Structure formats: C-alpha cells, structure tokens
Amino acid sequence: MPAPQPTAPAFPARPGATVATAEALAMPPAPKGEPAGERGGWRRGGGSSTTDGPAAAPPGTPVDRTPSGRRTSKLLRRPARIPAPLLCVLAMFTVQSGTALSKPLFALLGVGGTTFLRLGFAAIVLLAVARPRLRGRSPRDLGAAALLGVASAGMTLLFAGAVDRLPMGTAATIEFLGPLTVALLFARQAAHLLWALLAGGGVALLTLFTGGGHGGSALDPVGLAYAFGAAACYAVYILFTDKVGAAFQGFQGLAVSMTVGAITLAPFGLGQAWHGLSAPGASPVLLLLAVAGVSLLLPVIPYALEMTALRRMPQRVFSVIVSLEPAVSALVGLVVLHQLLGWPQLAGIGCVVAASVGATLTGRR
C-alpha cells in the first residue's frame, strides 16, 4: 500500500451534493493523519515516534481522555514489544487470510450477503470499543467520514466480487493500482513515468497471458471489471483516510466510517444474507459465527496492527513493506485456496510490486 502525498485533492461535485460533502472535499490535508477505513491506510511523513508509544499529536490537537480513548491506548500498547515491520507483515497476512476464508461463504450467503455481514460485525465491534461521540462534530468531519465509509463499502464489495471470479493474487494486484495511481498522480518527478509503465506492463502480464501452461484459462471479464472498480474505490478511500484520521481520535473515525459502509451495503447484501441464513438445511448460528470470525481477521485485527506499526516506524518504510501485499495475496491464495499462478502472472505481480516500491522510494520527501 504505497503512500500518496496529496496537496489539496479536488473532485467534481455531483448534482445535488450536500454542503457537508462539498466541505469535506475541500477539507485541507491534515498535518498528520492516522489510518482509517476498512483496511487501514497511510499517514503522511513525519510524526513517527522513536519510542514504543504513540507518536505525539500535532500542536493544538486535543488529547482523548475518554474511556474509549484509554481503551484504544491500551490496545495499542499490547503489541509494543513486537518489531513494527513484523506487525505490518502480520497485518497483511491477516487481511489476505480473512479474504481467502471469506470465499467459501460466498456460495452460502452470496458475495453481497457475506460482505454486508462482515462489515456489520466489524462495525458493531468498533462501535463497542471506540464509542464515537458525534455531538459537536462539524458537518465537514461527518461528511468526510461518510464518504470514507461509502468508498470502503464499494472497495470491499467489488474486491469480494473480484476474488469470487479471479485468483486472489490477480485481484489484489489490480486493486493495488488504486493507491499506486494516487501516488503517481501526486508525483513531481519524470522518473515516475517509468514506474507507471512498469505497473502497466505488470497488469498486461496478469490479464493478457492467461491461457495454457500454469496460468489456467482466460480471466473472467466481469471479475476484471470488479477488480478495476475496487481499485478506483481504493484510490478515493486513500484520499479520505488521512482526513478522517486527523479529525477523529483513535478508533472513532474507523467506527463511524465502518458503520456508514455497512449501511451502504445493506441494499446489496441484506436480501442475500437473509436468503442464505434461512435456506433449508442452513445453520444460521454457525454461519454468523463464521462471518464474525472473518470480520475480526478483516478489518479489526489488521487495523490495530497497522495503527501500532505506523506510530513506531517511518511512513516511507511502512509503504515499502505494504507494497508487498499483492505477493502476499498470491501466497495466501496458493496455500489456502490452492490457486496456482503461472509465470506470466507471477512476473506481473512482481512488476506491480517493484513499481510500488520504486515510486515510494523515489517520491518526494
């Protein structure tokens, strides 16, 4: 997950957009944001701590002394003795394991139903832990959290649809083009064009050379459309995660955006979930327990791990490590789902990972 460094991103307003949405889009970038949203995220450089505790907040930032704030601090201190890079690796494997273990549930609850229930359980856990206080929040902050939730919902649903039709490594690599594109758009060096071309070549290897050998049959075009749609949502998510992380303390922003994401997915997944849970021969209790377990793997546990790692290591190092996520996804897909990729697909994943690492290391400091 490379780290974009936007200045003041602006999006075209849709007809009928609310004032809160417009203000959220115009919200200036935070001096130091924290990850927020379904899969963590990035914060801008600086603000890394040389101690094992949380990094110091920017001047003028209020300290969260509420019970939820104290609970968050305790959660962050528990893995303090684990090296920060190892926390990043654990977070990546947890995310991809949660994705792989979700796939068998698709046949029982549907892609939309599984995704809706997973986000719903995660929202319940985070609301119980963070207990966000919305009173006194500005429309700008609430609008940003809502937009982040919608982007997270779209990213989650579309990526689940892609994983249902494509190998995990392929879907994760295409989705990873979202944050990579954001990083390249805000680059100021001509050399970044080479990284963009390298990433494009990687995608070509993934999508065009799929027949014969170890690569299997041609890729599902609907699955590819889902993957590219997830990448677009991922890019929007990256742009808003910094804003929400700077506006909310601890897990509060994540809890709000996750709740909005679950509500957004209700029209797409509630019917499928009910049909699966009430089907003849189904075991609703076991299915709900399985979904609850997967929701801890993605996003609750990896968010806590990434949040702790971000507070204890430079943002650039974090971005380089997380750039390996497409490769981790391919490995988990092989071990858990027995998805064997051919050499062209492996080379394509390698190109995208190399482009992400290169764009991060040569980006503006």
Side-chain angles (χ1 to χ4, degrees):
M1 301 183 186
Q5 299 187 7
T7 52
F11 300 89
R14 295 183 179 180
T18 62
V19 175
T21 302
E23 291 181 350
L25 293 174
M27 186 176 183
K32 183 196 73 170
E34 294 174 355
E38 195 216 353
R39 297 176 59 184
W42 297 262
R43 68 179 176 188
R44 267 179 273 276
S48 60
S49 175
T50 58
T51 67
D52 285 340
T61 301
V63 178
D64 189 358
R65 302 186 184 279
T66 62
S68 64
R70 290 193 293 270
R71 283 194 296 271
T72 300
S73 298
K74 290 180 181 179
L75 287 172
L76 293 176
R77 285 197 298 267
R78 287 176 182 176
R81 296 184 179 180
I82 302 177
L86 181 57
L87 292 179
C88 294
V89 175
L90 290 175
M92 285 188 291
F93 274 97
T94 304
V95 166
Q96 298 306 325
S97 297
T99 301
L101 294 175
S102 295
K103 187 168 182 177
L105 295 173
F106 294 163
L108 302 173
L109 299 171
V111 173
T114 303
T115 307
F116 165 69
L117 290 176
R118 182 162 61 81
L119 260 66
F121 274 112
I124 292 173
V125 171
L126 291 168
L127 287 173
V129 171
R131 295 183 183 179
R133 303 179 64 180
L134 303 183
R135 181 176 298 178
R137 291 285 182 184
S138 68
R140 182 176 62 183
D141 293 346
L142 296 176
L147 287 171
L148 179 61
V150 173
S152 297
M155 177 179 66
T156 308
L157 180 62
L158 291 171
F159 183 69
V163 169
D164 189 43
R165 296 169 175 266
L166 302 174
M168 273 185 56
T170 301
T173 304
I174 295 175
E175 185 203 32
F176 203 77
L177 295 179
L180 178 57
T181 299
V182 173
L184 293 173
L185 285 177
F186 290 103
R188 294 294 183 269
Q189 298 183 20
H192 281 75
L193 178 60
L194 297 178
W195 303 125
L197 293 175
L198 181 60
V203 173
L205 288 172
L206 277 171
T207 57
L208 299 181
F209 298 92
T210 55
H214 295 87
S217 58
L219 297 176
D220 188 315
V222 177
L224 289 174
Y226 283 154
F228 281 105
C233 291
Y234 204 166
V236 177
Y237 157 83
I238 286 295
L239 294 173
F240 279 95
T241 187
D242 205 29
K243 301 176 185 297
V244 175
F248 291 83
Q249 293 287 338
F251 290 95
Q252 293 188 33
L254 178 66
V256 173
S257 63
M258 191 67 61
T259 303
V260 173
I263 295 173
T264 302
L265 288 182
F268 303 94
L270 185 57
Q272 291 185 21
W274 177 259
H275 182 268
L277 293 173
S278 61
S283 177
V285 175
L286 292 179
L287 284 175
L288 290 175
L289 287 176
V291 175
V294 171
S295 70
L296 292 178
L297 292 176
L298 177 64
V300 178
I301 293 177
Y303 174 81
L305 294 175
E306 287 186 351
M307 188 176 188
T308 304
L310 273 166
R311 293 177 181 271
R312 294 167 46 203
M313 68 189 304
Q315 171 262 346
R316 186 174 297 271
V317 176
F318 173 84
S319 300
V320 171
I321 295 175
V322 181
S323 295
L324 301 175
E325 185 159 6
V328 172
S329 181
L331 178 60
V332 172
L334 172 63
V335 174
V336 179
L337 301 176
H338 309 292
Q339 295 175 339
L340 182 63
L341 298 178
W343 288 111
Q345 290 75 52
L346 294 176
I349 292 174
C351 289
V352 174
V353 169
S356 177
V357 173
T360 301
L361 292 178
T362 59
R364 291 184 300 169
R365 298 180 181 273

